[in-house]
Amino acid sequence: MPSTPKPTPRAVIISAWAVPVMVAGQFAMLAIIPLGIAAAGILRNRQLRGLRGWVAALSAAYAAGLLLWAIGPDRETSLSKELHPAHMVVITALGVALAVAYHLGRRPVAR
């Protein structure tokens, strides 16, 4: 018996958009919360398999920035101040790409 498709939780969609907004708005350390929500929601939902690569890339980029901040010899008190501007652009671009890929994947088919 095929399972009925489950609707995507709204928290996943909101979190996918919140990550690039928070990183660009200088709240990079707090962006780990919506990133975790989006990653967990995408990895658990079978219908969102196509987004797993995007969320993995976003998570890896964020984790790299967090790791560089954590092991830095003279780290700032804020992750946003420590991130290189190019790294911030990469994280923001990947976050926007994830959210846009979700919306493009949900586009209704024209008949």
Side-chain angles (χ1 to χ4, degrees):
M1 172 189 257
S3 62
T4 59
K6 297 177 185 176
T8 304
R10 188 171 285 164
V12 172
I13 302 160
I14 293 171
S15 295
W17 279 109
V19 173
V21 169
M22 291 179 86
V23 170
Q26 300 294 309
F27 291 99
M29 185 61 83
L30 292 176
I32 198 167
I33 296 167
L35 178 61
I37 293 169
I42 289 170
L43 293 175
R44 292 184 71 194
N45 193 331
R46 289 183 182 171
Q47 295 174 333
L48 300 177
R49 277 189 216 142
L51 299 178
R52 289 180 182 173
W54 288 108
V55 79
L58 177 60
S59 298
Y62 185 86
L66 189 62
L67 183 65
L68 289 173
W69 171 79
I71 64 173
D74 53 341
R75 65 179 175 184
E76 295 282 337
T77 58
S78 170
L79 176 60
S80 297
K81 291 179 183 176
E82 184 71 24
L83 278 178
H84 189 276
H87 198 127
M88 192 175 294
V89 168
V90 168
I91 294 171
T92 303
L94 284 171
V96 169
L98 169 67
V100 169
Y102 167 78
H103 289 294
L104 291 178
R106 304 293 285 183
R107 180 176 281 170
V109 178
R111 295 177 196 222

Coordinates of all heavy atoms in Angstrom, one line a residue, residues 13-106:
I13 N 10.5 25.1 5.6 CA 10.6 26.2 4.6 C 11.0 27.5 5.2 O 11.9 28.2 4.7 CB 9.2 26.4 3.9 CG1 8.7 25.1 3.3 CG2 9.2 27.5 2.9 CD1 7.3 25.0 3.1
I14 N 10.5 27.8 6.4 CA 10.8 29.1 7.0 C 12.3 29.0 7.5 O 13.0 30.0 7.3 CB 9.9 29.3 8.2 CG1 8.5 29.6 7.7 CG2 10.4 30.4 9.1 CD1 7.4 29.6 8.8
S15 N 12.7 27.9 8.0 CA 14.1 27.7 8.4 C 15.1 27.8 7.2 O 16.2 28.4 7.3 CB 14.3 26.4 9.1 OG 13.6 26.3 10.3
A16 N 14.7 27.3 6.1 CA 15.5 27.3 4.9 C 15.8 28.8 4.5 O 16.9 29.2 4.0 CB 14.9 26.5 3.7
W17 N 14.8 29.6 4.6 CA 14.9 31.0 4.3 C 15.6 31.8 5.4 O 16.2 32.8 5.2 CB 13.6 31.7 4.0 CG 13.1 31.4 2.6 CD1 12.1 30.6 2.2 CD2 13.6 32.0 1.4 NE1 11.9 30.6 0.8 CE2 12.9 31.5 0.3 CE3 14.7 32.8 1.1 CZ2 13.2 31.8 -1.0 CZ3 15.0 33.2 -0.2 CH2 14.2 32.7 -1.2
A18 N 15.4 31.3 6.6 CA 16.0 32.1 7.8 C 17.5 32.0 7.8 O 18.2 32.9 8.3 CB 15.4 31.5 9.1
V19 N 18.1 30.9 7.4 CA 19.6 30.8 7.5 C 20.3 31.9 6.7 O 21.1 32.6 7.3 CB 20.0 29.4 7.0 CG1 21.5 29.3 6.9 CG2 19.5 28.3 7.9
P20 N 20.0 32.1 5.4 CA 20.7 33.2 4.7 C 20.4 34.5 5.2 O 21.3 35.4 5.3 CB 20.3 33.0 3.2 CG 19.0 32.2 3.3 CD 19.1 31.4 4.5
V21 N 19.2 34.7 5.7 CA 18.8 36.0 6.2 C 19.6 36.3 7.5 O 20.1 37.4 7.7 CB 17.3 36.1 6.5 CG1 16.9 37.3 7.3 CG2 16.5 36.1 5.2
M22 N 19.7 35.3 8.4 CA 20.4 35.5 9.6 C 21.9 35.7 9.4 O 22.5 36.5 10.1 CB 20.1 34.3 10.6 CG 18.7 34.3 11.1 SD 18.4 32.9 12.1 CE 18.9 33.6 13.7
V23 N 22.5 34.9 8.5 CA 23.9 35.1 8.2 C 24.2 36.4 7.6 O 25.1 37.1 8.1 CB 24.4 33.9 7.3 CG1 25.9 34.2 6.9 CG2 24.4 32.6 8.1
A24 N 23.4 36.9 6.7 CA 23.6 38.2 6.1 C 23.3 39.3 7.0 O 23.9 40.4 7.0 CB 22.7 38.3 4.8
G25 N 22.4 39.1 8.0 CA 22.1 40.1 9.0 C 23.0 40.1 10.2 O 22.6 40.6 11.2
Q26 N 24.1 39.4 10.1 CA 25.1 39.4 11.2 C 24.7 38.6 12.5 O 25.0 38.9 13.6 CB 25.5 40.8 11.6 CG 26.1 41.6 10.5 CD 27.5 41.0 10.1 OE1 28.3 40.8 10.9 NE2 27.6 40.8 8.8
F27 N 23.8 37.6 12.3 CA 23.4 36.7 13.3 C 23.8 35.3 13.0 O 23.1 34.3 13.1 CB 21.9 36.7 13.6 CG 21.4 38.0 14.1 CD1 20.9 39.0 13.3 CD2 21.6 38.3 15.5 CE1 20.5 40.2 13.8 CE2 21.1 39.5 16.0 CZ 20.6 40.5 15.2
A28 N 25.1 35.1 12.6 CA 25.6 33.8 12.1 C 25.6 32.7 13.1 O 25.3 31.6 12.8 CB 27.0 34.0 11.5
M29 N 25.9 33.0 14.3 CA 25.9 32.0 15.4 C 24.5 31.4 15.6 O 24.3 30.2 15.8 CB 26.5 32.5 16.7 CG 26.7 31.4 17.7 SD 27.8 30.1 17.2 CE 29.3 30.8 17.6
L30 N 23.5 32.3 15.6 CA 22.1 31.8 15.8 C 21.6 31.1 14.6 O 20.5 30.4 14.7 CB 21.2 33.0 16.2 CG 21.5 33.7 17.5 CD1 20.6 34.9 17.7 CD2 21.3 32.7 18.6
A31 N 22.2 31.2 13.5 CA 21.7 30.5 12.3 C 21.8 29.0 12.4 O 21.2 28.3 11.5 CB 22.4 31.1 11.0
I32 N 22.5 28.5 13.4 CA 22.7 27.1 13.5 C 21.3 26.4 13.9 O 21.1 25.3 13.5 CB 23.7 26.7 14.5 CG1 24.2 25.3 14.4 CG2 23.3 27.0 15.9 CD1 25.4 24.9 15.1
I33 N 20.4 27.2 14.5 CA 19.1 26.7 14.9 C 18.2 26.4 13.7 O 17.8 25.3 13.5 CB 18.5 27.6 15.9 CG1 19.3 27.6 17.2 CG2 17.0 27.1 16.2 CD1 18.9 28.7 18.2
P34 N 18.0 27.4 12.8 CA 17.2 27.1 11.6 C 17.9 26.1 10.7 O 17.2 25.4 10.0 CB 16.9 28.4 11.0 CG 17.9 29.4 11.5 CD 18.3 28.8 12.9
L35 N 19.2 26.1 10.6 CA 20.0 25.2 9.8 C 19.7 23.8 10.3 O 19.4 22.9 9.5 CB 21.5 25.5 9.8 CG 22.3 24.5 9.0 CD1 21.9 24.5 7.5 CD2 23.8 24.9 9.2
G36 N 19.7 23.6 11.6 CA 19.4 22.2 12.1 C 18.0 21.8 11.8 O 17.7 20.6 11.5
I37 N 17.0 22.7 12.0 CA 15.6 22.4 11.7 C 15.5 22.0 10.2 O 14.8 21.1 9.9 CB 14.7 23.6 12.1 CG1 14.8 23.8 13.6 CG2 13.3 23.4 11.6 CD1 14.1 25.0 14.1
A38 N 16.0 22.8 9.3 CA 15.9 22.6 7.9 C 16.6 21.3 7.5 O 16.0 20.5 6.8 CB 16.5 23.7 7.1
A39 N 17.8 21.0 8.1 CA 18.5 19.8 7.7 C 17.7 18.6 8.2 O 17.6 17.6 7.5 CB 19.9 19.8 8.3
A40 N 17.3 18.6 9.4 CA 16.5 17.5 10.0 C 15.2 17.2 9.2 O 14.9 16.1 8.9 CB 16.2 17.7 11.4
G41 N 14.5 18.3 8.9 CA 13.3 18.2 8.1 C 13.5 17.6 6.7 O 12.7 16.8 6.2
I42 N 14.5 18.1 6.1 CA 14.8 17.6 4.7 C 15.3 16.2 4.7 O 14.9 15.4 3.8 CB 15.8 18.6 4.0 CG1 15.1 19.9 3.7 CG2 16.4 18.0 2.7 CD1 16.0 21.0 3.2
L43 N 16.2 15.8 5.6 CA 16.7 14.5 5.7 C 15.6 13.5 6.1 O 15.7 12.3 5.7 CB 17.9 14.4 6.6 CG 19.1 15.2 6.1 CD1 20.2 15.2 7.2 CD2 19.6 14.7 4.8
R44 N 14.6 13.9 6.8 CA 13.6 12.9 7.2 C 12.5 12.8 6.2 O 11.7 11.8 6.3 CB 13.0 13.4 8.6 CG 14.0 13.3 9.7 CD 13.4 13.6 11.0 NE 12.5 12.5 11.4 CZ 11.6 12.6 12.3 NH1 11.5 13.7 13.0 NH2 10.8 11.6 12.6
N45 N 12.3 13.7 5.4 CA 11.1 13.7 4.4 C 11.6 13.1 3.1 O 12.5 13.7 2.4 CB 10.6 15.2 4.2 CG 9.3 15.2 3.5 OD1 9.0 14.3 2.8 ND2 8.5 16.3 3.9
R46 N 11.0 12.0 2.7 CA 11.3 11.4 1.5 C 11.0 12.2 0.2 O 11.7 12.1 -0.8 CB 10.6 10.1 1.3 CG 11.1 9.0 2.3 CD 10.4 7.7 2.1 NE 10.8 6.7 3.0 CZ 10.2 5.6 3.2 NH1 9.2 5.3 2.5 NH2 10.7 4.7 4.1
Q47 N 10.1 13.1 0.3 CA 9.7 13.9 -0.9 C 10.7 15.0 -1.1 O 10.7 15.5 -2.2 CB 8.3 14.5 -0.6 CG 7.2 13.5 -0.5 CD 5.9 14.2 -0.1 OE1 5.9 15.2 0.5 NE2 4.8 13.6 -0.5
L48 N 11.6 15.2 -0.2 CA 12.5 16.3 -0.4 C 13.9 15.8 -0.6 O 14.9 16.4 -0.3 CB 12.6 17.2 0.9 CG 11.2 17.9 1.2 CD1 11.3 18.7 2.5 CD2 10.8 18.8 0.1
R49 N 14.0 14.6 -1.2 CA 15.3 13.9 -1.5 C 16.2 14.8 -2.4 O 17.4 14.8 -2.3 CB 15.1 12.6 -2.2 CG 14.9 11.5 -1.2 CD 14.9 10.2 -2.0 NE 13.9 9.3 -1.4 CZ 13.1 8.5 -2.0 NH1 13.3 8.4 -3.3 NH2 12.3 7.8 -1.4
G50 N 15.6 15.5 -3.3 CA 16.4 16.4 -4.2 C 17.1 17.5 -3.5 O 18.0 18.1 -4.1
L51 N 16.7 17.8 -2.3 CA 17.3 19.0 -1.6 C 18.4 18.5 -0.7 O 19.0 19.3 0.0 CB 16.2 19.7 -0.8 CG 15.1 20.3 -1.6 CD1 14.1 21.0 -0.6 CD2 15.6 21.3 -2.5
R52 N 18.6 17.2 -0.6 CA 19.6 16.7 0.4 C 21.0 17.2 0.0 O 21.8 17.5 0.9 CB 19.6 15.2 0.4 CG 18.3 14.7 1.1 CD 18.3 13.2 1.2 NE 17.0 12.8 1.9 CZ 16.6 11.6 2.0 NH1 17.3 10.6 1.5 NH2 15.5 11.3 2.6
G53 N 21.3 17.3 -1.2 CA 22.6 17.8 -1.7 C 22.8 19.3 -1.3 O 23.9 19.7 -0.8
W54 N 21.7 20.1 -1.5 CA 21.8 21.5 -1.1 C 22.0 21.7 0.4 O 22.8 22.5 0.8 CB 20.5 22.2 -1.6 CG 20.4 22.4 -3.1 CD1 19.6 21.7 -3.9 CD2 21.2 23.2 -3.9 NE1 19.8 22.1 -5.2 CE2 20.8 23.1 -5.2 CE3 22.2 24.2 -3.6 CZ2 21.4 23.8 -6.3 CZ3 22.8 24.9 -4.7 CH2 22.3 24.7 -6.0
V55 N 21.2 20.9 1.2 CA 21.3 21.1 2.6 C 22.7 20.6 3.1 O 23.3 21.1 4.1 CB 20.1 20.5 3.4 CG1 20.3 19.0 3.5 CG2 20.0 21.1 4.7
A56 N 23.2 19.5 2.5 CA 24.6 19.0 2.8 C 25.6 20.1 2.5 O 26.5 20.3 3.3 CB 24.9 17.7 2.1
A57 N 25.5 20.7 1.4 CA 26.5 21.8 1.0 C 26.4 23.0 2.0 O 27.4 23.5 2.4 CB 26.3 22.2 -0.4
L58 N 25.2 23.4 2.3 CA 25.0 24.5 3.2 C 25.5 24.2 4.6 O 26.2 25.0 5.2 CB 23.5 24.9 3.3 CG 23.1 26.0 4.3 CD1 23.8 27.3 3.9 CD2 21.6 26.2 4.3
S59 N 25.2 22.9 5.1 CA 25.7 22.5 6.4 C 27.2 22.5 6.4 O 27.9 22.9 7.4 CB 25.1 21.2 6.7 OG 23.7 21.2 6.8
A60 N 27.8 22.0 5.3 CA 29.3 21.9 5.3 C 29.9 23.3 5.3 O 31.0 23.5 5.9 CB 29.7 21.1 4.0
A61 N 29.4 24.2 4.5 CA 29.9 25.6 4.5 C 29.8 26.2 5.8 O 30.7 26.9 6.3 CB 29.2 26.4 3.4
Y62 N 28.6 26.1 6.5 CA 28.5 26.6 7.8 C 29.4 26.0 8.8 O 30.0 26.7 9.6 CB 27.0 26.5 8.2 CG 26.7 27.2 9.5 CD1 26.4 28.5 9.6 CD2 26.8 26.5 10.7 CE1 26.2 29.2 10.8 CE2 26.6 27.2 11.9 CZ 26.3 28.5 12.0 OH 26.0 29.1 13.1
A63 N 29.5 24.7 8.7 CA 30.4 24.0 9.7 C 31.9 24.4 9.5 O 32.6 24.5 10.5 CB 30.2 22.5 9.5
A64 N 32.3 24.6 8.3 CA 33.6 25.1 8.0 C 33.9 26.4 8.6 O 34.9 26.6 9.3 CB 33.9 25.1 6.5
G65 N 33.0 27.3 8.5 CA 33.1 28.6 9.1 C 33.1 28.6 10.6 O 33.9 29.2 11.3
L66 N 32.2 27.7 11.2 CA 32.2 27.6 12.6 C 33.5 26.9 13.1 O 34.0 27.3 14.2 CB 31.0 26.7 13.0 CG 30.6 26.6 14.4 CD1 30.3 28.0 15.0 CD2 29.4 25.6 14.6
L67 N 34.0 26.0 12.4 CA 35.2 25.3 12.8 C 36.4 26.3 12.8 O 37.2 26.3 13.7 CB 35.5 24.1 12.0 CG 36.7 23.3 12.3 CD1 36.5 22.6 13.7 CD2 37.0 22.2 11.2
L68 N 36.5 27.0 11.7 CA 37.6 28.0 11.6 C 37.5 29.1 12.7 O 38.5 29.5 13.3 CB 37.5 28.7 10.2 CG 38.0 27.8 9.1 CD1 37.7 28.6 7.8 CD2 39.4 27.4 9.2
W69 N 36.3 29.4 13.1 CA 36.1 30.4 14.2 C 36.5 29.7 15.5 O 37.2 30.4 16.3 CB 34.6 30.8 14.3 CG 34.3 31.6 15.5 CD1 34.6 32.9 15.7 CD2 33.6 31.2 16.6 NE1 34.1 33.3 16.9 CE2 33.5 32.2 17.5 CE3 33.1 29.9 17.0 CZ2 32.9 32.1 18.8 CZ3 32.5 29.8 18.3 CH2 32.4 30.9 19.1
A70 N 36.1 28.5 15.7 CA 36.4 27.8 17.0 C 37.9 27.5 17.2 O 38.4 27.6 18.4 CB 35.6 26.5 17.1
I71 N 38.6 27.2 16.2 CA 40.0 26.9 16.4 C 41.0 28.0 16.1 O 42.2 27.9 16.3 CB 40.5 25.7 15.5 CG1 40.4 26.1 14.0 CG2 39.7 24.5 15.8 CD1 40.9 25.0 13.0
G72 N 40.4 29.2 15.8 CA 41.2 30.4 15.6 C 42.0 30.8 16.8 O 41.5 30.7 17.9
P73 N 43.2 31.3 16.6 CA 44.0 31.6 17.8 C 43.5 32.9 18.5 O 43.5 32.9 19.7 CB 45.4 31.9 17.2 CG 45.2 32.2 15.7 CD 43.9 31.4 15.4
D74 N 43.1 33.8 17.8 CA 42.6 35.1 18.4 C 41.2 35.3 17.9 O 41.0 36.3 17.1 CB 43.5 36.3 18.1 CG 43.8 36.4 16.7 OD1 43.6 35.5 15.9 OD2 44.2 37.6 16.3
R75 N 40.3 34.5 18.3 CA 38.9 34.6 17.8 C 38.1 35.7 18.3 O 38.3 36.1 19.5 CB 38.2 33.3 17.9 CG 37.9 32.9 19.4 CD 37.2 31.6 19.4 NE 37.0 31.2 20.8 CZ 36.5 30.0 21.1 NH1 36.1 29.2 20.2 NH2 36.4 29.7 22.4
E76 N 37.3 36.2 17.5 CA 36.3 37.3 17.9 C 35.3 36.7 18.8 O 35.1 35.5 18.9 CB 35.7 37.9 16.7 CG 36.7 38.7 15.8 CD 37.1 40.0 16.3 OE1 36.3 40.6 17.1 OE2 38.1 40.5 16.0
T77 N 34.5 37.6 19.5 CA 33.4 37.1 20.3 C 32.2 36.7 19.5 O 31.3 36.0 19.9 CB 33.0 38.1 21.3 OG1 32.6 39.3 20.6 CG2 34.1 38.4 22.3
S78 N 32.2 37.1 18.2 CA 31.0 36.8 17.3 C 31.5 36.1 16.1 O 32.5 36.4 15.5 CB 30.4 38.2 16.9 OG 29.5 38.0 15.9
L79 N 30.7 35.1 15.7 CA 31.0 34.3 14.5 C 30.9 35.3 13.3 O 31.6 35.2 12.3 CB 30.1 33.1 14.4 CG 30.2 32.3 13.1 CD1 31.6 31.7 13.0 CD2 29.2 31.2 13.1
S80 N 29.9 36.2 13.3 CA 29.7 37.1 12.2 C 30.9 38.0 11.9 O 31.2 38.3 10.8 CB 28.5 37.9 12.4 OG 27.3 37.1 12.5
K81 N 31.6 38.4 13.0 CA 32.7 39.2 12.8 C 33.9 38.4 12.3 O 34.8 39.0 11.7 CB 33.1 39.9 14.1 CG 32.1 40.9 14.5 CD 32.4 41.6 15.9 CE 31.4 42.5 16.3 NZ 31.7 43.1 17.6
E82 N 34.0 37.2 12.6 CA 35.1 36.3 12.3 C 35.0 35.8 10.8 O 36.1 35.5 10.2 CB 35.2 35.2 13.3 CG 36.4 34.3 13.1 CD 37.7 34.9 13.4 OE1 37.7 35.8 14.3 OE2 38.8 34.5 12.9
L83 N 33.8 35.6 10.3 CA 33.7 35.0 9.0 C 34.3 35.9 7.9 O 34.0 37.2 8.0 CB 32.2 34.8 8.7 CG 31.5 33.6 9.2 CD1 30.0 33.6 8.8 CD2 32.2 32.3 8.7
H84 N 35.0 35.4 7.0 CA 35.5 36.1 5.9 C 34.3 36.5 5.0 O 33.3 35.8 4.9 CB 36.4 35.2 5.1 CG 37.2 36.0 4.0 ND1 36.6 36.2 2.8 CD2 38.4 36.5 4.0 CE1 37.5 36.9 2.1 NE2 38.6 37.1 2.8
P85 N 34.3 37.7 4.5 CA 33.1 38.1 3.6 C 32.8 37.2 2.5 O 31.6 36.9 2.2 CB 33.6 39.5 3.1 CG 34.6 40.0 4.1 CD 35.3 38.8 4.6
A86 N 33.8 36.6 1.9 CA 33.5 35.6 0.8 C 32.8 34.3 1.4 O 31.9 33.8 0.8 CB 34.8 35.2 0.1
H87 N 33.2 33.9 2.6 CA 32.6 32.8 3.2 C 31.1 33.1 3.6 O 30.3 32.3 3.4 CB 33.4 32.4 4.5 CG 33.1 31.0 4.9 ND1 34.1 30.1 5.2 CD2 32.0 30.4 5.2 CE1 33.6 29.0 5.6 NE2 32.3 29.1 5.6
M88 N 30.9 34.3 4.0 CA 29.5 34.7 4.3 C 28.7 34.7 3.1 O 27.5 34.3 3.1 CB 29.5 36.1 5.0 CG 28.2 36.5 5.6 SD 28.3 38.0 6.5 CE 29.4 37.6 7.8
V89 N 29.3 35.2 2.0 CA 28.5 35.2 0.7 C 28.2 33.7 0.2 O 27.1 33.5 -0.2 CB 29.3 35.9 -0.4 CG1 28.8 35.7 -1.8 CG2 29.4 37.4 -0.1
V90 N 29.2 32.8 0.4 CA 28.9 31.4 0.0 C 27.8 30.8 0.9 O 26.9 30.2 0.3 CB 30.2 30.6 0.2 CG1 29.9 29.1 0.1 CG2 31.2 31.0 -0.8
I91 N 27.8 31.0 2.2 CA 26.8 30.5 3.0 C 25.4 31.1 2.7 O 24.4 30.4 2.5 CB 27.1 30.8 4.5 CG1 28.3 30.0 4.9 CG2 25.9 30.4 5.4 CD1 28.8 30.3 6.3
T92 N 25.4 32.4 2.4 CA 24.1 33.1 2.1 C 23.6 32.6 0.7 O 22.4 32.3 0.6 CB 24.3 34.6 2.0 OG1 24.8 35.0 3.3 CG2 23.0 35.3 1.7
A93 N 24.5 32.4 -0.2 CA 24.1 32.0 -1.6 C 23.6 30.5 -1.5 O 22.6 30.2 -2.2 CB 25.3 32.1 -2.5
L94 N 24.3 29.7 -0.8 CA 23.8 28.3 -0.6 C 22.4 28.2 0.1 O 21.6 27.4 -0.3 CB 24.8 27.4 0.1 CG 26.0 27.0 -0.7 CD1 27.1 26.4 0.2 CD2 25.6 26.1 -1.8
G95 N 22.2 29.1 1.1 CA 20.9 29.1 1.7 C 19.8 29.6 0.8 O 18.7 29.0 0.8
V96 N 20.1 30.6 0.0 CA 19.1 31.1 -0.9 C 18.8 30.0 -2.0 O 17.7 29.7 -2.4 CB 19.5 32.4 -1.6 CG1 18.6 32.8 -2.7 CG2 19.5 33.5 -0.5
A97 N 19.9 29.3 -2.5 CA 19.8 28.3 -3.5 C 18.9 27.1 -2.9 O 18.1 26.6 -3.6 CB 21.1 27.8 -3.9
L98 N 19.1 26.8 -1.7 CA 18.3 25.7 -1.0 C 16.8 26.1 -1.0 O 16.0 25.3 -1.4 CB 18.8 25.4 0.4 CG 17.9 24.5 1.2 CD1 17.9 23.1 0.7 CD2 18.4 24.5 2.7
A99 N 16.5 27.3 -0.6 CA 15.1 27.8 -0.5 C 14.5 27.9 -1.9 O 13.4 27.4 -2.1 CB 15.1 29.1 0.2
V100 N 15.2 28.4 -2.8 CA 14.7 28.5 -4.2 C 14.5 27.1 -4.8 O 13.5 26.9 -5.5 CB 15.6 29.4 -5.1 CG1 15.3 29.3 -6.5 CG2 15.6 30.9 -4.6
A101 N 15.5 26.2 -4.6 CA 15.3 24.9 -5.1 C 14.1 24.2 -4.5 O 13.4 23.4 -5.3 CB 16.6 24.0 -4.8
Y102 N 13.8 24.5 -3.3 CA 12.5 23.9 -2.7 C 11.3 24.4 -3.5 O 10.4 23.7 -3.9 CB 12.4 24.3 -1.2 CG 11.0 24.0 -0.7 CD1 10.6 22.7 -0.4 CD2 10.1 25.0 -0.6 CE1 9.3 22.4 0.0 CE2 8.8 24.7 -0.2 CZ 8.4 23.5 0.1 OH 7.2 23.2 0.5
H103 N 11.3 25.7 -3.7 CA 10.1 26.3 -4.3 C 10.0 25.9 -5.8 O 8.9 25.7 -6.3 CB 10.1 27.9 -4.2 CG 9.9 28.3 -2.8 ND1 8.6 28.2 -2.2 CD2 10.7 29.0 -1.9 CE1 8.7 28.7 -1.0 NE2 9.9 29.2 -0.8
L104 N 11.1 25.8 -6.5 CA 11.1 25.3 -7.9 C 10.7 23.9 -8.0 O 10.0 23.4 -8.9 CB 12.4 25.5 -8.6 CG 12.8 27.0 -8.8 CD1 14.2 27.1 -9.4 CD2 11.8 27.7 -9.7
G105 N 11.1 23.1 -7.0 CA 10.7 21.6 -7.0 C 9.2 21.4 -6.7 O 8.7 20.4 -7.0
R106 N 8.6 22.4 -6.0 CA 7.2 22.3 -5.7 C 6.3 22.9 -6.7 O 5.1 23.0 -6.5 CB 6.9 22.9 -4.3 CG 7.8 22.4 -3.2 CD 7.5 21.0 -2.9 NE 6.2 21.0 -2.1 CZ 5.7 19.9 -1.6 NH1 6.2 18.8 -1.8 NH2 4.5 20.0 -1.0

